[in-house]
Amino acid sequence: MLMSMSSAPALRLEIIRRIAPGFRHKVLGKMQPIALIAQLLGKKIEANQHESEFLLQRLQELKTSLKAATNTADDLFTWLNPNEETMQPLGEIVAECLDLLKMEIYASNVVFQNHVNSKTLVKVSTVRNLFCACVLTYVDTVEKASEVVVSERLQAEGPVIEMTIMPSAGKQDKALSVHTTLIRWNDLHLLNESAQLVIENDQVLISGIA
């Protein structure tokens, strides 16, 4: 039985649940080099091959991988316990959201083209919540395979995220959702963000994010 959202916490929890596979893939990708380098160092030590230059290089790689894994884990906690005042470049947030949701997007036969590269500082939590909710709502409700162009429009009040929907030139079958809880467009008012959301026939606009 399909369920709908009943509150803002439920909607935010659903967003976290849906990005979780993307975070799992991201974290495992950062951890794998650590295990491989540690295994290689262990074999060198066991074989009594202590080439100092080789060991120093591998140790530096290990430190770099550990830092990347730590940053990824720290980033996960900013999703779980966000600071509403934190600002970050718009282009980075949009790219991060699409990266974490790429499995959801791929499974729905929807292609997202990201043309947002603005360095304008915006509210991280607001953009994450609304943009992820819009992406998930679209892949949950669209009936045909399609392409979505994500772009930006600069206005005096700040940047505006535009999602422009176009029919797909390729496969027209849309995969059925495997989720029992689907996000609908009328659920997004639950977020009660300071940003403004305008939904038209083939376009979604998110403003008030600076």
Short mmCIF file of all heavy atoms in Angstrom, two decimals, residues 112-182:
data_model
loop_
_atom_site.label_atom_id
_atom_site.label_comp_id
_atom_site.label_asym_id
_atom_site.label_seq_id
_atom_site.Cartn_x
_atom_site.Cartn_y
_atom_site.Cartn_z
N PHE A 112 18.99 13.70 -15.72
CA PHE A 112 19.14 15.07 -15.22
C PHE A 112 20.42 15.67 -15.80
O PHE A 112 21.49 15.06 -15.68
CB PHE A 112 19.20 15.10 -13.69
CG PHE A 112 17.86 15.12 -13.03
CD1 PHE A 112 17.09 13.97 -12.97
CD2 PHE A 112 17.36 16.28 -12.46
CE1 PHE A 112 15.84 13.97 -12.36
CE2 PHE A 112 16.12 16.30 -11.85
CZ PHE A 112 15.35 15.14 -11.80
N GLN A 113 20.30 16.82 -16.42
CA GLN A 113 21.45 17.56 -16.92
C GLN A 113 21.68 18.76 -16.00
O GLN A 113 20.82 19.64 -15.91
CB GLN A 113 21.21 18.03 -18.35
CG GLN A 113 20.97 16.93 -19.36
CD GLN A 113 20.73 17.48 -20.75
OE1 GLN A 113 21.21 18.57 -21.08
NE2 GLN A 113 20.00 16.74 -21.57
N ASN A 114 22.81 18.77 -15.35
CA ASN A 114 23.09 19.84 -14.39
C ASN A 114 23.95 20.93 -15.01
O ASN A 114 25.08 20.70 -15.41
CB ASN A 114 23.80 19.26 -13.16
CG ASN A 114 24.10 20.32 -12.12
OD1 ASN A 114 23.49 21.39 -12.11
ND2 ASN A 114 25.04 20.04 -11.25
N HIS A 115 23.40 22.15 -15.09
CA HIS A 115 24.13 23.30 -15.62
C HIS A 115 24.31 24.38 -14.56
O HIS A 115 24.54 25.54 -14.89
CB HIS A 115 23.38 23.88 -16.82
CG HIS A 115 23.25 22.92 -17.97
ND1 HIS A 115 24.33 22.45 -18.69
CD2 HIS A 115 22.15 22.32 -18.51
CE1 HIS A 115 23.90 21.63 -19.63
NE2 HIS A 115 22.59 21.51 -19.53
N VAL A 116 24.17 23.99 -13.30
CA VAL A 116 24.33 24.95 -12.20
C VAL A 116 25.78 24.94 -11.73
O VAL A 116 26.28 23.91 -11.26
CB VAL A 116 23.39 24.62 -11.02
CG1 VAL A 116 23.59 25.62 -9.88
CG2 VAL A 116 21.94 24.61 -11.48
N ASN A 117 26.46 26.05 -11.85
CA ASN A 117 27.85 26.14 -11.37
C ASN A 117 28.10 27.41 -10.59
O ASN A 117 29.23 27.84 -10.41
CB ASN A 117 28.83 26.04 -12.55
CG ASN A 117 28.50 27.02 -13.66
OD1 ASN A 117 27.92 28.09 -13.42
ND2 ASN A 117 28.87 26.66 -14.88
N SER A 118 27.02 28.01 -10.10
CA SER A 118 27.12 29.27 -9.37
C SER A 118 27.89 29.11 -8.07
O SER A 118 27.74 28.11 -7.36
CB SER A 118 25.72 29.81 -9.07
OG SER A 118 25.80 30.94 -8.22
N LYS A 119 28.72 30.09 -7.76
CA LYS A 119 29.44 30.10 -6.49
C LYS A 119 28.75 30.99 -5.46
O LYS A 119 29.30 31.26 -4.39
CB LYS A 119 30.89 30.56 -6.71
CG LYS A 119 31.68 29.61 -7.62
CD LYS A 119 33.14 29.97 -7.65
CE LYS A 119 33.92 29.03 -8.57
NZ LYS A 119 33.84 27.63 -8.14
N THR A 120 27.55 31.45 -5.79
CA THR A 120 26.78 32.27 -4.85
C THR A 120 26.45 31.45 -3.61
O THR A 120 25.99 30.31 -3.70
CB THR A 120 25.46 32.74 -5.50
OG1 THR A 120 25.77 33.47 -6.69
CG2 THR A 120 24.68 33.63 -4.56
N LEU A 121 26.69 32.04 -2.43
CA LEU A 121 26.43 31.33 -1.19
C LEU A 121 24.93 31.31 -0.89
O LEU A 121 24.26 32.33 -0.96
CB LEU A 121 27.18 32.00 -0.03
CG LEU A 121 28.70 31.96 -0.11
CD1 LEU A 121 29.31 32.68 1.09
CD2 LEU A 121 29.21 30.52 -0.17
N VAL A 122 24.43 30.10 -0.58
CA VAL A 122 23.02 29.92 -0.27
C VAL A 122 22.89 29.04 0.97
O VAL A 122 23.86 28.45 1.44
CB VAL A 122 22.27 29.26 -1.46
CG1 VAL A 122 22.27 30.19 -2.67
CG2 VAL A 122 22.88 27.92 -1.81
N LYS A 123 21.66 28.95 1.50
CA LYS A 123 21.42 28.16 2.70
C LYS A 123 21.45 26.67 2.36
O LYS A 123 20.62 26.17 1.60
CB LYS A 123 20.07 28.53 3.30
CG LYS A 123 19.96 30.00 3.71
CD LYS A 123 18.55 30.36 4.10
CE LYS A 123 18.41 31.84 4.39
NZ LYS A 123 17.01 32.24 4.66
N VAL A 124 22.42 25.97 2.94
CA VAL A 124 22.62 24.56 2.61
C VAL A 124 21.38 23.73 2.90
O VAL A 124 20.88 22.98 2.05
CB VAL A 124 23.83 23.98 3.38
CG1 VAL A 124 23.96 22.48 3.12
CG2 VAL A 124 25.10 24.69 3.00
N SER A 125 20.85 23.83 4.12
CA SER A 125 19.72 22.99 4.52
C SER A 125 18.49 23.24 3.66
O SER A 125 17.80 22.31 3.25
CB SER A 125 19.39 23.25 6.00
OG SER A 125 18.29 22.47 6.41
N THR A 126 18.22 24.52 3.36
CA THR A 126 17.05 24.87 2.56
C THR A 126 17.13 24.27 1.16
O THR A 126 16.18 23.66 0.66
CB THR A 126 16.91 26.40 2.46
OG1 THR A 126 16.69 26.93 3.76
CG2 THR A 126 15.73 26.78 1.58
N VAL A 127 18.30 24.45 0.50
CA VAL A 127 18.46 23.93 -0.86
C VAL A 127 18.43 22.41 -0.86
O VAL A 127 17.77 21.79 -1.72
CB VAL A 127 19.76 24.45 -1.49
CG1 VAL A 127 19.96 23.83 -2.88
CG2 VAL A 127 19.72 25.97 -1.60
N ARG A 128 19.12 21.79 0.09
CA ARG A 128 19.11 20.33 0.15
C ARG A 128 17.69 19.79 0.28
O ARG A 128 17.28 18.89 -0.47
CB ARG A 128 19.95 19.85 1.34
CG ARG A 128 21.45 19.84 1.12
CD ARG A 128 22.15 19.44 2.40
NE ARG A 128 23.58 19.20 2.21
CZ ARG A 128 24.41 18.93 3.21
NH1 ARG A 128 23.95 18.87 4.45
NH2 ARG A 128 25.69 18.72 2.97
N ASN A 129 16.93 20.33 1.23
CA ASN A 129 15.58 19.83 1.47
C ASN A 129 14.68 20.01 0.25
O ASN A 129 14.04 19.07 -0.21
CB ASN A 129 14.96 20.54 2.68
CG ASN A 129 15.48 20.01 4.00
OD1 ASN A 129 15.89 18.85 4.10
ND2 ASN A 129 15.47 20.84 5.01
N LEU A 130 14.62 21.26 -0.25
CA LEU A 130 13.69 21.54 -1.34
C LEU A 130 14.12 20.92 -2.67
O LEU A 130 13.29 20.36 -3.39
CB LEU A 130 13.51 23.05 -1.51
CG LEU A 130 12.37 23.68 -0.70
CD1 LEU A 130 12.33 25.18 -0.93
CD2 LEU A 130 11.03 23.06 -1.07
N PHE A 131 15.40 21.03 -2.99
CA PHE A 131 15.84 20.50 -4.27
C PHE A 131 15.73 18.97 -4.29
O PHE A 131 15.22 18.39 -5.27
CB PHE A 131 17.27 20.93 -4.58
CG PHE A 131 17.77 20.46 -5.92
CD1 PHE A 131 17.18 20.92 -7.09
CD2 PHE A 131 18.80 19.54 -6.01
CE1 PHE A 131 17.62 20.48 -8.33
CE2 PHE A 131 19.25 19.09 -7.24
CZ PHE A 131 18.66 19.56 -8.41
N CYS A 132 16.18 18.30 -3.23
CA CYS A 132 16.05 16.83 -3.17
C CYS A 132 14.58 16.42 -3.21
O CYS A 132 14.22 15.45 -3.89
CB CYS A 132 16.70 16.28 -1.91
SG CYS A 132 18.50 16.21 -1.96
N ALA A 133 13.74 17.15 -2.49
CA ALA A 133 12.31 16.83 -2.49
C ALA A 133 11.73 16.98 -3.89
O ALA A 133 10.92 16.16 -4.33
CB ALA A 133 11.57 17.73 -1.51
N CYS A 134 12.13 18.02 -4.62
CA CYS A 134 11.64 18.22 -5.98
C CYS A 134 12.11 17.11 -6.91
O CYS A 134 11.33 16.60 -7.73
CB CYS A 134 12.11 19.58 -6.52
SG CYS A 134 11.25 20.99 -5.80
N VAL A 135 13.37 16.74 -6.81
CA VAL A 135 13.90 15.65 -7.65
C VAL A 135 13.16 14.35 -7.37
O VAL A 135 12.71 13.65 -8.29
CB VAL A 135 15.42 15.47 -7.42
CG1 VAL A 135 15.92 14.21 -8.14
CG2 VAL A 135 16.19 16.69 -7.90
N LEU A 136 13.00 14.02 -6.08
CA LEU A 136 12.33 12.77 -5.71
C LEU A 136 10.86 12.79 -6.10
O LEU A 136 10.31 11.77 -6.55
CB LEU A 136 12.47 12.53 -4.21
CG LEU A 136 13.88 12.15 -3.74
CD1 LEU A 136 13.96 12.17 -2.22
CD2 LEU A 136 14.28 10.79 -4.28
N THR A 137 10.21 13.94 -5.94
CA THR A 137 8.81 14.05 -6.34
C THR A 137 8.66 13.81 -7.83
O THR A 137 7.74 13.09 -8.27
CB THR A 137 8.25 15.43 -5.98
OG1 THR A 137 8.39 15.66 -4.59
CG2 THR A 137 6.77 15.53 -6.34
N TYR A 138 9.57 14.39 -8.60
CA TYR A 138 9.47 14.21 -10.05
C TYR A 138 9.67 12.74 -10.44
O TYR A 138 8.87 12.20 -11.23
CB TYR A 138 10.48 15.09 -10.78
CG TYR A 138 10.32 14.97 -12.28
CD1 TYR A 138 9.22 15.52 -12.91
CD2 TYR A 138 11.24 14.26 -13.04
CE1 TYR A 138 9.03 15.37 -14.27
CE2 TYR A 138 11.06 14.11 -14.41
CZ TYR A 138 9.95 14.66 -15.01
OH TYR A 138 9.76 14.50 -16.37
N VAL A 139 10.70 12.09 -9.91
CA VAL A 139 10.93 10.69 -10.31
C VAL A 139 9.83 9.77 -9.78
O VAL A 139 9.59 8.70 -10.34
CB VAL A 139 12.32 10.19 -9.86
CG1 VAL A 139 13.43 11.02 -10.48
CG2 VAL A 139 12.46 10.17 -8.34
N ASP A 140 9.15 10.19 -8.70
CA ASP A 140 8.05 9.39 -8.16
C ASP A 140 6.76 9.54 -8.98
O ASP A 140 5.94 8.62 -9.04
CB ASP A 140 7.75 9.78 -6.71
CG ASP A 140 8.69 9.13 -5.72
OD1 ASP A 140 9.54 8.32 -6.14
OD2 ASP A 140 8.59 9.44 -4.52
N THR A 141 6.57 10.70 -9.58
CA THR A 141 5.28 10.98 -10.22
C THR A 141 5.30 10.96 -11.74
O THR A 141 4.25 10.83 -12.36
CB THR A 141 4.76 12.36 -9.77
OG1 THR A 141 5.75 13.37 -10.09
CG2 THR A 141 4.51 12.40 -8.27
N VAL A 142 6.47 11.10 -12.36
CA VAL A 142 6.53 11.14 -13.82
C VAL A 142 6.10 9.79 -14.39
O VAL A 142 6.38 8.74 -13.82
CB VAL A 142 7.96 11.51 -14.29
CG1 VAL A 142 8.97 10.41 -13.94
CG2 VAL A 142 7.97 11.79 -15.78
N GLU A 143 5.41 9.83 -15.50
CA GLU A 143 4.88 8.61 -16.10
C GLU A 143 5.66 8.15 -17.33
O GLU A 143 5.54 7.01 -17.75
CB GLU A 143 3.41 8.81 -16.48
CG GLU A 143 2.51 9.07 -15.26
CD GLU A 143 1.07 9.30 -15.65
OE1 GLU A 143 0.79 9.39 -16.88
OE2 GLU A 143 0.23 9.39 -14.75
N LYS A 144 6.44 9.04 -17.91
CA LYS A 144 7.24 8.71 -19.08
C LYS A 144 8.70 9.06 -18.83
O LYS A 144 9.00 9.98 -18.08
CB LYS A 144 6.74 9.48 -20.32
CG LYS A 144 5.33 9.09 -20.78
CD LYS A 144 5.34 7.72 -21.45
CE LYS A 144 3.97 7.40 -22.02
NZ LYS A 144 3.93 6.07 -22.68
N ALA A 145 9.58 8.31 -19.48
CA ALA A 145 10.99 8.67 -19.41
C ALA A 145 11.16 10.09 -19.93
O ALA A 145 10.48 10.51 -20.87
CB ALA A 145 11.82 7.70 -20.23
N SER A 146 12.04 10.85 -19.32
CA SER A 146 12.19 12.25 -19.71
C SER A 146 13.56 12.77 -19.33
O SER A 146 14.35 12.06 -18.70
CB SER A 146 11.11 13.11 -19.03
OG SER A 146 11.19 12.95 -17.63
N GLU A 147 13.84 13.99 -19.72
CA GLU A 147 15.07 14.68 -19.35
C GLU A 147 14.72 15.93 -18.58
O GLU A 147 13.75 16.62 -18.91
CB GLU A 147 15.89 15.03 -20.60
CG GLU A 147 16.39 13.82 -21.36
CD GLU A 147 17.27 14.20 -22.54
OE1 GLU A 147 17.60 15.40 -22.67
OE2 GLU A 147 17.63 13.30 -23.31
N VAL A 148 15.51 16.22 -17.57
CA VAL A 148 15.31 17.41 -16.76
C VAL A 148 16.59 18.23 -16.79
O VAL A 148 17.65 17.74 -16.40
CB VAL A 148 14.94 17.06 -15.30
CG1 VAL A 148 14.75 18.35 -14.48
CG2 VAL A 148 13.69 16.20 -15.25
N VAL A 149 16.48 19.45 -17.26
CA VAL A 149 17.63 20.36 -17.29
C VAL A 149 17.58 21.23 -16.04
O VAL A 149 16.61 21.95 -15.81
CB VAL A 149 17.61 21.24 -18.56
CG1 VAL A 149 18.78 22.22 -18.53
CG2 VAL A 149 17.67 20.37 -19.80
N VAL A 150 18.62 21.15 -15.23
CA VAL A 150 18.71 21.96 -14.01
C VAL A 150 19.64 23.13 -14.30
O VAL A 150 20.81 22.94 -14.65
CB VAL A 150 19.25 21.14 -12.83
CG1 VAL A 150 19.22 21.98 -11.55
CG2 VAL A 150 18.43 19.86 -12.64
N SER A 151 19.12 24.33 -14.17
CA SER A 151 19.91 25.52 -14.47
C SER A 151 19.66 26.57 -13.39
O SER A 151 18.93 26.34 -12.43
CB SER A 151 19.55 26.08 -15.86
OG SER A 151 18.16 26.35 -15.93
N GLU A 152 20.28 27.72 -13.56
CA GLU A 152 20.15 28.79 -12.57
C GLU A 152 19.81 30.10 -13.26
O GLU A 152 20.17 30.32 -14.42
CB GLU A 152 21.45 28.94 -11.78
CG GLU A 152 22.63 29.27 -12.68
CD GLU A 152 23.96 29.23 -11.95
OE1 GLU A 152 24.12 29.98 -10.99
OE2 GLU A 152 24.83 28.45 -12.37
N ARG A 153 19.10 30.92 -12.54
CA ARG A 153 18.76 32.26 -13.03
C ARG A 153 19.15 33.24 -11.93
O ARG A 153 18.71 33.10 -10.78
CB ARG A 153 17.27 32.35 -13.33
CG ARG A 153 16.84 33.72 -13.85
CD ARG A 153 15.34 33.88 -13.76
NE ARG A 153 14.61 32.82 -14.45
CZ ARG A 153 13.30 32.66 -14.35
NH1 ARG A 153 12.58 33.46 -13.56
NH2 ARG A 153 12.70 31.68 -15.00
N LEU A 154 19.97 34.21 -12.26
CA LEU A 154 20.41 35.19 -11.27
C LEU A 154 19.46 36.38 -11.26
O LEU A 154 19.23 37.01 -12.29
CB LEU A 154 21.84 35.64 -11.56
CG LEU A 154 22.92 34.55 -11.44
CD1 LEU A 154 24.28 35.11 -11.77
CD2 LEU A 154 22.93 33.95 -10.03
N GLN A 155 18.91 36.69 -10.09
CA GLN A 155 18.02 37.83 -9.92
C GLN A 155 18.55 38.71 -8.80
O GLN A 155 19.45 38.32 -8.05
CB GLN A 155 16.60 37.35 -9.59
CG GLN A 155 15.94 36.57 -10.71
CD GLN A 155 14.51 36.20 -10.39
OE1 GLN A 155 14.10 36.17 -9.24
NE2 GLN A 155 13.73 35.93 -11.43
N ALA A 156 18.00 39.89 -8.68
CA ALA A 156 18.45 40.83 -7.64
C ALA A 156 18.28 40.23 -6.25
O ALA A 156 19.08 40.47 -5.35
CB ALA A 156 17.67 42.14 -7.77
N GLU A 157 17.22 39.44 -6.07
CA GLU A 157 16.94 38.84 -4.76
C GLU A 157 17.82 37.63 -4.48
O GLU A 157 17.85 37.11 -3.36
CB GLU A 157 15.48 38.41 -4.66
CG GLU A 157 14.47 39.52 -4.86
CD GLU A 157 14.24 39.87 -6.32
OE1 GLU A 157 14.77 39.12 -7.20
OE2 GLU A 157 13.57 40.87 -6.61
N GLY A 158 18.55 37.17 -5.49
CA GLY A 158 19.39 35.99 -5.31
C GLY A 158 19.16 34.99 -6.43
O GLY A 158 18.32 35.20 -7.32
N PRO A 159 19.88 33.87 -6.41
CA PRO A 159 19.75 32.88 -7.49
C PRO A 159 18.44 32.10 -7.42
O PRO A 159 17.86 31.93 -6.35
CB PRO A 159 20.95 31.95 -7.24
CG PRO A 159 21.20 32.05 -5.76
CD PRO A 159 20.87 33.47 -5.39
N VAL A 160 17.99 31.64 -8.58
CA VAL A 160 16.79 30.81 -8.69
C VAL A 160 17.20 29.51 -9.37
O VAL A 160 17.86 29.52 -10.41
CB VAL A 160 15.69 31.51 -9.53
CG1 VAL A 160 14.49 30.59 -9.69
CG2 VAL A 160 15.29 32.82 -8.87
N ILE A 161 16.82 28.38 -8.78
CA ILE A 161 17.07 27.08 -9.40
C ILE A 161 15.90 26.77 -10.33
O ILE A 161 14.74 26.85 -9.92
CB ILE A 161 17.20 25.97 -8.35
CG1 ILE A 161 18.32 26.28 -7.36
CG2 ILE A 161 17.45 24.62 -9.02
CD1 ILE A 161 18.41 25.30 -6.21
N GLU A 162 16.20 26.41 -11.57
CA GLU A 162 15.17 26.05 -12.53
C GLU A 162 15.31 24.58 -12.92
O GLU A 162 16.39 24.12 -13.27
CB GLU A 162 15.29 26.91 -13.80
CG GLU A 162 15.11 28.40 -13.56
CD GLU A 162 15.20 29.19 -14.86
OE1 GLU A 162 15.77 28.66 -15.84
OE2 GLU A 162 14.71 30.32 -14.90
N MET A 163 14.21 23.85 -12.86
CA MET A 163 14.15 22.48 -13.36
C MET A 163 13.19 22.49 -14.56
O MET A 163 11.99 22.65 -14.39
CB MET A 163 13.65 21.52 -12.28
CG MET A 163 14.62 21.30 -11.14
SD MET A 163 13.87 20.33 -9.78
CE MET A 163 13.32 18.86 -10.64
N THR A 164 13.75 22.35 -15.76
CA THR A 164 12.94 22.38 -16.98
C THR A 164 12.80 20.96 -17.51
O THR A 164 13.81 20.27 -17.76
CB THR A 164 13.58 23.28 -18.05
OG1 THR A 164 13.77 24.59 -17.49
CG2 THR A 164 12.69 23.38 -19.27
N ILE A 165 11.56 20.51 -17.68
CA ILE A 165 11.27 19.12 -18.06
C ILE A 165 11.03 19.03 -19.55
O ILE A 165 10.26 19.79 -20.13
CB ILE A 165 10.03 18.62 -17.27
CG1 ILE A 165 10.32 18.71 -15.77
CG2 ILE A 165 9.67 17.20 -17.69
CD1 ILE A 165 9.08 18.80 -14.92
N MET A 166 11.72 18.04 -20.18
CA MET A 166 11.59 17.83 -21.62
C MET A 166 11.35 16.35 -21.89
O MET A 166 11.88 15.49 -21.16
CB MET A 166 12.86 18.29 -22.35
CG MET A 166 13.22 19.74 -22.12
SD MET A 166 14.71 20.21 -23.05
CE MET A 166 15.94 19.16 -22.26
N PRO A 167 10.57 16.03 -22.92
CA PRO A 167 10.37 14.61 -23.28
C PRO A 167 11.70 13.98 -23.66
O PRO A 167 12.58 14.64 -24.23
CB PRO A 167 9.42 14.66 -24.47
CG PRO A 167 8.78 16.01 -24.39
CD PRO A 167 9.80 16.92 -23.78
N SER A 168 11.87 12.72 -23.35
CA SER A 168 13.10 12.02 -23.69
C SER A 168 13.08 11.57 -25.14
O SER A 168 12.06 11.11 -25.65
CB SER A 168 13.28 10.81 -22.78
OG SER A 168 14.40 10.05 -23.18
N ALA A 169 14.22 11.72 -25.80
CA ALA A 169 14.31 11.27 -27.19
C ALA A 169 14.56 9.77 -27.28
O ALA A 169 14.48 9.18 -28.34
CB ALA A 169 15.45 12.02 -27.89
N GLY A 170 14.85 9.17 -26.14
CA GLY A 170 15.15 7.74 -26.12
C GLY A 170 13.99 6.91 -25.63
O GLY A 170 12.84 7.10 -26.02
N LYS A 171 14.29 6.00 -24.72
CA LYS A 171 13.30 5.05 -24.21
C LYS A 171 12.15 5.78 -23.53
O LYS A 171 12.36 6.68 -22.74
CB LYS A 171 13.99 4.10 -23.22
CG LYS A 171 13.11 2.97 -22.73
CD LYS A 171 13.92 2.05 -21.83
CE LYS A 171 13.05 0.92 -21.31
NZ LYS A 171 13.80 0.03 -20.40
N GLN A 172 10.92 5.34 -23.82
CA GLN A 172 9.75 6.02 -23.30
C GLN A 172 9.09 5.31 -22.11
O GLN A 172 8.13 5.81 -21.56
CB GLN A 172 8.70 6.19 -24.42
CG GLN A 172 9.15 7.15 -25.51
CD GLN A 172 9.41 8.55 -24.98
OE1 GLN A 172 8.56 9.16 -24.32
NE2 GLN A 172 10.60 9.07 -25.22
N ASP A 173 9.58 4.15 -21.76
CA ASP A 173 9.00 3.44 -20.62
C ASP A 173 9.59 3.98 -19.33
O ASP A 173 10.79 4.17 -19.20
CB ASP A 173 9.28 1.95 -20.72
CG ASP A 173 8.59 1.31 -21.91
OD1 ASP A 173 7.52 1.83 -22.27
OD2 ASP A 173 9.12 0.34 -22.45
N LYS A 174 8.73 4.20 -18.36
CA LYS A 174 9.16 4.69 -17.05
C LYS A 174 9.10 3.54 -16.07
O LYS A 174 8.08 2.86 -15.96
CB LYS A 174 8.28 5.86 -16.61
CG LYS A 174 8.84 6.66 -15.44
CD LYS A 174 8.35 6.15 -14.12
CE LYS A 174 8.88 7.02 -12.98
NZ LYS A 174 8.50 6.45 -11.67
N ALA A 175 10.18 3.30 -15.36
CA ALA A 175 10.21 2.19 -14.41
C ALA A 175 9.25 2.44 -13.25
O ALA A 175 9.08 3.57 -12.80
CB ALA A 175 11.63 2.01 -13.87
N LEU A 176 8.62 1.38 -12.77
CA LEU A 176 7.74 1.50 -11.62
C LEU A 176 8.57 1.71 -10.35
O LEU A 176 9.63 1.12 -10.18
CB LEU A 176 6.90 0.22 -11.47
CG LEU A 176 5.88 -0.03 -12.59
CD1 LEU A 176 5.20 -1.39 -12.36
CD2 LEU A 176 4.84 1.07 -12.63
N SER A 177 8.08 2.56 -9.46
CA SER A 177 8.80 2.83 -8.23
C SER A 177 8.74 1.62 -7.31
O SER A 177 7.73 0.92 -7.22
CB SER A 177 8.20 4.04 -7.51
OG SER A 177 8.85 4.24 -6.27
N VAL A 178 9.85 1.37 -6.62
CA VAL A 178 9.90 0.25 -5.66
C VAL A 178 9.55 0.74 -4.25
O VAL A 178 9.53 -0.05 -3.31
CB VAL A 178 11.30 -0.40 -5.64
CG1 VAL A 178 11.63 -0.98 -7.01
CG2 VAL A 178 12.37 0.62 -5.23
N HIS A 179 9.26 2.03 -4.11
CA HIS A 179 9.02 2.60 -2.79
C HIS A 179 7.55 2.50 -2.40
O HIS A 179 6.66 2.63 -3.24
CB HIS A 179 9.48 4.06 -2.75
CG HIS A 179 10.93 4.23 -3.06
ND1 HIS A 179 11.93 3.82 -2.21
CD2 HIS A 179 11.56 4.74 -4.16
CE1 HIS A 179 13.10 4.08 -2.76
NE2 HIS A 179 12.90 4.62 -3.93
N THR A 180 7.31 2.26 -1.11
CA THR A 180 5.93 2.23 -0.61
C THR A 180 5.47 3.61 -0.17
O THR A 180 4.28 3.83 0.02
CB THR A 180 5.81 1.26 0.58
OG1 THR A 180 6.74 1.64 1.60
CG2 THR A 180 6.10 -0.17 0.14
N THR A 181 6.42 4.52 0.01
CA THR A 181 6.09 5.90 0.35
C THR A 181 6.57 6.79 -0.79
O THR A 181 7.77 6.86 -1.06
CB THR A 181 6.76 6.34 1.66
OG1 THR A 181 6.37 5.47 2.70
CG2 THR A 181 6.36 7.76 2.01
N LEU A 182 5.65 7.43 -1.46
CA LEU A 182 5.99 8.31 -2.57
C LEU A 182 5.78 9.76 -2.18
O LEU A 182 4.84 10.08 -1.45
CB LEU A 182 5.14 7.98 -3.80
CG LEU A 182 5.22 6.54 -4.33
CD1 LEU A 182 4.38 6.40 -5.58
CD2 LEU A 182 6.65 6.15 -4.61
#
